[in-house]
């Protein structure tokens, strides 16, 4: 019979992982089989710098958490060695970092993910990784918003210069 203390710890762990699934805007499930310690450390560092939590979970614990979070479609991907990246704020960064790392290290493979509460396959995660980062998207938006003002300022300047030139002639 299982120890009551151990069961309580497992229930707490499932509750924590369930909350991570619910709070995460993007979750990426990956198979890390074959990566050495240095590679995993490098990957963890890259993810941590981007504010992404990367953890290795037992599949049974992860399945219980997906059931509690109503994400049971993810269960088919929870086989073999499984590591999960959770990002609360940024939807693109986990996909981008893990996909780039997988290109350099063929031992890492992206299995699937959850984006904004919807389970997606590895193809969708890779497509998400192709998008510009949040900062890149914001700078593009800022550029688009500034263009009309910049063009107006240039037109006003050109008119002023033309009137100045006419006044001197």
């Amino acid at each position: 019979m299982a120890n009551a203390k151990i069961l309580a710890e497992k229930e707490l762990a499932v509750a924590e992982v369930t909350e991570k699934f619910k709070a995460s805007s993007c979750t990426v499930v990956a198979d890390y089989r074959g990566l050495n310690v240095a590679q995993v450390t490098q990957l963890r560092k890259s993810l941590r710098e981007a504010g992404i939590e990367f953890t290795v979970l037992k599949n049974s614990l992860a399945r219980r958490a997906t059931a509690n979070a109503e994400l049971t479609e993810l269960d088919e991907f929870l086989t073999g060695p499984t590591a999960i990246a959770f990002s609360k704020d940024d939807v693109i960064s986990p996909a981008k970092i893990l996909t780039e790392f997988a290109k350099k290290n063929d031992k890492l493979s992206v299995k699937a993910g959850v984006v904004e509460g919807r389970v997606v396959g590895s193809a969708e995660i890779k497509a998400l990784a192709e998008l510009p980062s949040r900062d890149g998207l914001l700078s593009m938006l800022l550029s688009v918003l500034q263009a009309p003002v910049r063009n107006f300022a240039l037109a006003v300047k050109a008119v002023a210069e033309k009137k100045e030139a006419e006044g001197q002639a």
Side-chain angles (χ1 to χ4, degrees):
M1 185 95 186
N3 185 337
K5 182 179 177 185
I6 293 172
L7 286 176
E9 288 174 3
K10 287 183 179 182
E11 285 177 16
L12 181 64
V14 168
E16 286 176 12
V17 175
T18 300
E19 188 53 40
K20 288 177 188 177
F21 273 117
K22 288 180 178 179
S24 179
S25 62
C26 182
T27 303
V28 179
V29 178
D31 184 342
Y32 65 95
R33 184 184 354 226
L35 291 178
N36 62 36
V37 174
Q39 291 169 322
V40 172
T41 302
Q42 178 187 5
L43 177 60
R44 283 183 188 273
K45 183 177 183 274
S46 299
L47 291 165
R48 187 174 37 254
E49 288 171 354
I52 300 163
E53 183 179 346
F54 186 70
T55 185
V56 174
L57 294 172
K58 286 187 170 187
N59 290 326
S60 59
L61 185 138
R63 282 190 197 100
R64 286 185 180 149
T66 58
N68 292 346
E70 298 177 2
L71 296 168
T72 54
E73 306 92 58
L74 196 61
D75 289 353
E76 69 181 274
F77 302 104
L78 298 174
T79 58
T82 302
I84 303 177
F86 296 99
S87 175
K88 289 183 180 179
D89 302 321
D90 194 349
V91 176
I92 297 172
S93 289
K96 188 175 284 294
I97 292 169
L98 285 167
T99 301
E100 289 298 317
F101 192 86
K103 286 179 184 175
K104 296 174 189 165
N105 301 282
D106 61 344
K107 302 266 192 261
L108 180 79
S109 66
V110 174
K111 295 181 184 181
V114 181
V115 178
E116 306 263 328
R118 190 174 63 88
V119 176
V120 297
S122 63
E124 288 92 341
I125 294 294
K126 289 175 184 169
L128 190 60
E130 299 296 321
L131 294 174
S133 67
R134 181 179 187 274
D135 291 338
L137 289 171
L138 287 174
S139 68
M140 285 182 209
L141 176 63
L142 183 61
S143 177
V144 168
L145 293 174
Q146 285 179 337
V149 175
R150 185 175 36 247
N151 292 342
F152 178 71
L154 290 172
V156 168
K157 182 180 177 188
V159 168
E161 287 173 354
K162 183 177 178 187
K163 290 201 181 236
E164 239 181 67
E166 288 174 1
Q168 290 178 355

